[in-house]
Amino acid sequence: SREETLGWAERRPVLFPFLLSLFCLALSEQIHYRIPEEMPEGSVVGNLAKDLRLSVHELPTRKLRVSSEKPYFTVSAESGELLVSSRLDREQICGKKSACALEFEVVAENPLNFYHVNVEIEDVNDHTPKFSQNSFELQISESTPPGTRFILEVAEDADIGLNSLQTYKLSLSPSFSLINKEKQDGSKFPELVLEKPLDREQQSYHRLVLTASDGGDPPLSGTIELQIQVTDANDNPPVFTQDVYRVNLGENVPPGTTVLQVSATDQDEGVNSEIAYSFYRSGQVFGLNSKSGEITTLKTLDFEEIKEYSIVVEGRDGGGLVAQCTVEISIQDENDNRPDITFHSLVEMILENAVPGTLIALIKIHDRDSGENGEVNCRLEGEVPFQIISSSKNSYKLVTAGTLDREQIPEYNVTIVATDKGKPPLCTHTSVTLHITDVNDNAPVFHQASYVVHVAENNPPGASIEQVRASDPDLGPNGHVSYSIVASDLEPRALSSYVSVNPQSGVVFAQRAFDHEQLRAFELTLQARDHGSPALSSNVSLRVLVGDRNDNAPRVLYPALGHDGSALFDTVPRAAQPGYLVTKVVAVDADSGHNAWLSYHVLQASEPGLFSVGLRTGEVRTARALGDRDAARQRLLVAVRDGDSRPRPPPRSELQFYLVVALALISVLFLLAVILAVALHLRRSSSPAAWGCFKPGLCVKSGPVVPPNYSEGTLPYSYNLCVAHTGKTEFNFLKCSEQLSSGQDILCGDSSGALFPLCNSSESTSHPETLMAVSSI
């Protein structure tokens, strides 16, 4: 009652320290408290923070909170005390259970942990024993013998223990007495005993008061009026075959299932022996056949709601005599409830570098069934890098169990399977998606192990020579790559003037024109760096090979010109045999490879066919023996060509054209040969004076003449040669004595002894050949 609750609240300052010292055990696994029911909201259950060994300073960061489906309690954020937050009615919470306790979890954060709290609710005598009705009618035949017993109305008291119904008392009556009886479950029920024979003619109606009292302090009681009607003689009442019928019935049996059949007999005859069965109290769960006594179910039973039924069945004969029996039905649990899975503090985003054992979620498993049907095993379905760890009874932790890699698997669909131990077992599947968060754990990787770039010299400055690429599978800034040059074999100051790289695209640019003769190759170290924190990088080598172009003309080393610019000459004995070594032209070319391959050619000779030049060696030898008619002075013009000036085969598309030209040339040469033969024949038959001009050195002109153009092979230039006067005794290089048109090239001498085309020109472009004049005596 309210007065008792107030009384308890007044005694609480004195009793609580004593109760806490007795019942609040400081256990590492579970904390116990004991409190009375119906405590006002805001009442202190206990200092939870102190029992958990937490200081007041830790409370703001630990954030203690109660995790329960029905929050009867709350935790004070300031003091850490466990407070009552809603009404605690032990009868509503636990019913008739002898022990009533609320088990729940308290969650603390930073770090996350689970504490189990058990609060035992003590009963308070706050319920009065009550009868279901105000009066109870009973018919007793006047022929009923003394000692006959009658089951009376039973009172209900929601309290337990001493606070529950303890005794029944009957108002004073000479004809009746009362016996208190007890069932197997400990509940009390009264039986009315007839003390002496009744006489309907003297008193046909008796009114008595039945009082039900509990054992509280002070005790509470309830009353009902007994209205006993004395009926006419029917001297044989019905008799049931059993005073108590007991049966076990499985839950979830379909409606209409037969539970059992009660049976009563009556030794009377006729109407007085006809027995009609009925429930002492009408119910909505079971039905009774009034003629056969068969009891059937009216609806589906649920063990989790009501575990036992106690029913009183009356058998009334036609004369009004009644017999009673008790039917006790125990509901047997069946595995008809699947486990429930509840997540607490689920972490949906997990860093991919999380170490094994990292807590992902707290899981609570609940099964309403009892015994093995309510025992649950929890596991993960499939192969995933997570595992379930049992924390306490029906509580589990979901933790990481392996290495995570977002680049391989960005998310996991984890299915948790909870299976009970029933037969057959029932299971529940619950899936949750866990997303893996990116961490900068991948360095950029170049698409090639190394790069080799071939760049021809004389390239235009600012041209792109290569593009390096690197990929990073990370996300966002962790995967954004920028490029830079971190090292090279060039001078650090000169590096920026040679190459640069675009930080975003990785395109490498030439900052200047390269010169193969100065720098043939250099190597760079490029770095790809992501924008993570800390940033990761990788390096790759880029080797740049500067290719040669034919941009340098051959230079003659021997023979060299004299100090006055005159050319040296060699002497050949008249008796020299064919193949006699006259001299050797020595030349070099600053280019490389094919562009530096030199070849030597006779470009002009005073006496064609007298001398020959080695194509590769540059050796000048006599091609035949010297005759008396050969001039004493011979002028020989030698051309030095590099490899790029050699004739190249025409394309196939022009092959037919060249064949036609070749046939035409052959025809022309044939005609020239015929004309030459005729001329020689005429020369032998005519006087020598007429052909004097054909002899060497006899046809003399007063000045230099310009011979026809020479065009050999693939030479890019046609040369107009100035022939020296044959009357002179020394060999000199000729100089241009008149201005020529732009279409003519004149060979002029310089101090090095080489002859270059386009004399007196300011251009210094590539020269495919160098001409050398050699004289011999």
Side-chain angles (χ1 to χ4, degrees):
S1 67
R2 180 172 179 84
E3 295 178 355
E4 291 175 335
T5 304
L6 293 175
W8 175 271
E10 293 174 356
R11 296 191 298 272
R12 187 177 60 190
V14 178
L15 295 178
F16 257 73
F18 175 74
L19 292 176
L20 290 175
S21 64
L22 291 177
F23 303 108
C24 296
L25 303 178
L27 299 178
S28 60
E29 290 296 329
Q30 196 172 37
I31 298 176
H32 295 269
Y33 296 104
R34 178 179 292 178
I35 61 173
E37 65 172 329
E38 301 295 346
M39 289 184 69
E41 293 185 12
S43 300
V44 178
V45 177
N47 194 325
L48 184 61
K50 180 179 179 181
D51 295 335
L52 293 177
R53 297 180 178 88
L54 300 176
S55 64
V56 178
H57 303 292
E58 294 179 275
L59 294 181
T61 58
R62 296 306 299 272
K63 298 180 181 179
L64 287 175
R65 69 177 188 275
V66 175
S67 174
S68 177
E69 296 178 358
K70 295 182 179 180
Y72 293 102
F73 305 95
T74 185
V75 179
S76 173
E78 292 77 22
S79 63
E81 293 177 325
L82 185 65
L83 307 177
V84 177
S85 61
S86 62
R87 181 189 175 194
L88 296 175
D89 188 350
R90 193 205 65 82
E91 290 74 29
Q92 182 179 1
I93 296 173
C94 299
K96 284 289 188 177
K97 290 183 180 179
S98 58
C100 181
L102 291 176
E103 293 186 0
F104 55 92
E105 289 77 30
V106 174
V107 180
E109 298 181 0
N110 302 319
L112 187 65
N113 212 333
F114 227 359
Y115 301 98
H116 295 271
V117 179
N118 181 293
V119 178
E120 185 176 351
I121 309 300
E122 294 182 338
D123 183 56
V124 174
N125 191 23
D126 57 345
H127 290 84
T128 302
K130 294 181 180 180
F131 292 92
S132 61
Q133 49 192 7
N134 296 326
S135 62
F136 176 72
E137 294 183 359
L138 183 63
Q139 293 181 349
I140 302 177
S141 176
E142 62 179 333
S143 61
T144 301
T148 303
R149 298 182 180 184
F150 303 91
I151 299 176
L152 301 179
E153 174 75 8
V154 180
E156 298 290 341
D157 192 334
D159 295 323
I160 62 171
L162 292 176
N163 294 328
S164 65
L165 192 151
Q166 297 294 321
T167 183
Y168 292 90
K169 293 181 180 179
L170 187 66
S171 59
L172 294 177
S173 171
S175 300
F176 300 94
S177 63
L178 189 71
I179 297 177
N180 284 281
K181 301 197 72 175
E182 185 175 349
K183 296 182 181 179
Q184 289 184 347
D185 61 357
S187 60
K188 309 291 192 304
F189 65 96
E191 285 190 351
L192 183 67
V193 181
L194 182 61
E195 294 294 335
K196 65 179 184 177
L198 300 176
D199 188 350
R200 188 188 64 83
E201 286 72 24
Q202 291 184 0
Q203 186 177 357
S204 62
Y205 212 79
H206 296 265
R207 294 182 181 272
L208 303 175
V209 176
L210 179 63
T211 302
S213 302
D214 59 25
D217 184 18
L220 302 177
S221 61
T223 60
I224 187 175
E225 183 183 24
L226 298 180
Q227 299 176 358
I228 302 174
Q229 181 181 2
V230 181
T231 62
D232 198 14
N234 182 18
D235 52 356
N236 288 297
V239 177
F240 282 94
T241 57
Q242 294 178 226
D243 290 336
V244 179
Y245 292 86
R246 294 185 177 89
V247 64
N248 295 326
L249 185 63
E251 66 173 332
N252 297 328
V253 295
T257 301
T258 299
V259 179
L260 58 82
Q261 185 175 13
V262 296
S263 177
T265 59
D266 194 319
Q267 297 181 357
D268 294 327
E269 294 182 353
V271 177
N272 291 332
S273 64
E274 294 179 358
I275 301 175
Y277 301 96
S278 63
F279 286 132
Y280 176 68
R281 292 180 182 175
S282 60
Q284 298 178 349
V285 180
F286 300 95
L288 176 62
N289 190 309
S290 61
K291 293 183 178 180
S292 65
E294 183 182 53
I295 300 176
T296 58
T297 59
L298 297 178
K299 65 177 184 179
T300 303
L301 307 178
D302 190 350
F303 172 83
E304 286 69 38
E305 292 183 0
I306 300 178
K307 299 177 174 58
E308 187 177 51
Y309 293 90
S310 180
I311 306 172
V312 175
V313 179
E314 291 183 343
R316 186 183 299 272
D317 62 17
L321 295 181
V322 177
Q324 293 178 334
C325 69
T326 302
V327 178
E328 295 182 353
I329 303 173
S330 296
I331 307 302
Q332 303 298 310
D333 182 45
E334 293 182 3
N335 192 24
D336 59 341
N337 290 281
R338 297 181 182 274
D340 293 327
I341 302 176
T342 305
F343 285 93
H344 296 273
S345 303
L346 175 63
V347 180
E348 294 185 355
M349 303 298 293
I350 308 167
L351 292 176
E352 61 176 324
N353 62 348
V355 298
T358 301
L359 181 64
I360 304 302
L362 297 175
I363 303 172
K364 180 74 174 181
I365 309 296
H366 177 67
D367 195 318
R368 296 178 60 198
D369 294 321
S370 301
E372 289 188 350
N373 295 333
E375 296 179 8
V376 181
N377 291 325
C378 191
R379 62 179 177 85
L380 291 179
E381 190 176 67
E383 295 294 333
V384 291
F386 304 95
Q387 66 176 350
I388 292 290
I389 299 177
S390 178
S391 175
S392 59
K393 181 181 179 181
N394 295 332
S395 297
Y396 298 87
K397 293 180 179 180
L398 176 63
V399 299
T400 58
T403 303
L404 305 177
D405 191 348
R406 187 208 62 81
E407 287 71 37
Q408 294 184 3
I409 304 178
E411 66 179 23
Y412 291 89
N413 189 21
V414 178
T415 300
I416 299 171
V417 181
T419 307
D420 60 28
K421 296 182 179 180
K423 295 181 180 178
L426 299 178
C427 64
T428 299
H429 296 72
T430 299
S431 297
V432 61
T433 301
L434 302 179
H435 300 276
I436 309 303
T437 303
D438 183 57
V439 173
N440 191 25
D441 58 346
N442 289 280
V445 178
F446 283 94
H447 294 179
Q448 295 180 211
S450 62
Y451 292 83
V452 177
V453 182
H454 295 269
V455 181
E457 63 176 333
N458 302 326
N459 58 287
S464 170
I465 62 174
E466 181 60 292
Q467 182 176 18
V468 297
R469 292 184 181 274
S471 58
D472 193 322
D474 293 322
L475 293 179
N478 296 334
H480 183 67
V481 180
S482 59
Y483 304 89
S484 62
I485 301 175
V486 295
S488 72
D489 54 3
L490 299 173
E491 289 294 332
R493 296 180 179 178
L495 174 62
S496 60
S497 65
Y498 275 88
V499 289
S500 65
V501 63
N502 188 298
Q504 286 74 35
S505 64
V507 176
V508 180
F509 296 95
Q511 297 296 98
R512 62 188 298 178
F514 300 146
D515 188 353
H516 174 80
E517 287 69 42
Q518 293 184 2
L519 180 64
R520 299 193 175 188
F522 60 92
E523 188 167 336
L524 307 174
T525 300
L526 297 173
Q527 184 178 85
R529 177 182 293 269
D530 59 29
H531 292 188
S533 180
L536 300 179
S537 63
S538 62
N539 296 341
V540 70
S541 65
L542 172 65
R543 184 168 181 79
V544 180
L545 303 178
V546 180
D548 183 50
R549 288 184 184 272
N550 193 22
D551 58 348
N552 291 280
R555 186 168 63 89
V556 177
L557 301 179
Y558 181 84
L561 296 177
H563 296 291
D564 56 355
S566 62
L568 300 177
F569 59 88
D570 292 295
T571 303
V572 181
R574 285 280 183 176
Q577 297 297 318
Y580 177 81
L581 178 61
V582 179
T583 186
K584 183 176 182 179
V585 180
V586 179
V588 294
D589 194 315
D591 293 323
S592 301
H594 181 269
N595 295 328
W597 293 356
L598 301 181
S599 61
Y600 303 85
H601 307 272
V602 176
L603 188 62
Q604 185 180 3
S606 300
E607 184 68 33
L610 181 58
F611 297 98
S612 65
V613 179
L615 179 65
R616 298 301 179 194
T617 63
E619 295 176 348
V620 180
R621 296 180 182 271
T622 57
R624 60 177 176 83
L626 296 175
D628 295 336
R629 295 182 179 181
D630 292 328
R633 292 175 180 266
Q634 296 289 334
R635 182 177 182 273
L636 187 64
L637 185 60
V638 177
V640 183
R641 299 174 182 169
D642 59 20
D644 194 52
S645 301
R646 293 174 188 169
R648 295 175 182 168
R652 292 187 177 183
S653 62
E654 301 177 0
L655 182 59
Q656 186 176 1
F657 171 76
Y658 287 123
L659 289 176
V660 174
V661 174
L663 290 175
L665 290 177
I666 292 173
S667 300
V668 171
L669 292 177
F670 177 74
L671 291 176
L672 291 176
V674 173
I675 295 172
L676 182 60
V678 173
L680 291 176
H681 178 70
L682 292 175
R683 178 183 179 186
R684 292 191 185 96
S685 62
S686 61
S687 61
W691 296 91
C693 289
F694 289 97
K695 294 182 179 179
L698 298 179
C699 297
V700 179
K701 296 183 181 179
S702 61
V705 296
V706 179
N709 292 339
Y710 287 86
S711 178
E712 292 189 17
T714 60
L715 288 177
Y717 302 97
S718 60
Y719 296 92
N720 295 322
L721 303 178
C722 298
V723 181
H725 195 281
T726 57
K728 295 183 181 181
T729 59
E730 68 273 359
F731 179 84
N732 289 319
F733 288 93
L734 300 181
K735 297 184 179 179
C736 297
S737 61
E738 56 180 89
Q739 185 70 29
L740 301 178
S741 65
S742 61
Q744 295 176 324
D745 296 332
I746 305 300
L747 293 176
C748 298
D750 63 2
S751 60
S752 65
L755 297 180
F756 298 91
L758 299 178
C759 56
N760 298 328
S761 175
S762 61
E763 296 182 4
S764 59
T765 57
S766 64
H767 305 277
E769 68 178 7
T770 298
L771 303 180
M772 180 64 194
V774 179
S775 64
S776 61
I777 299 178

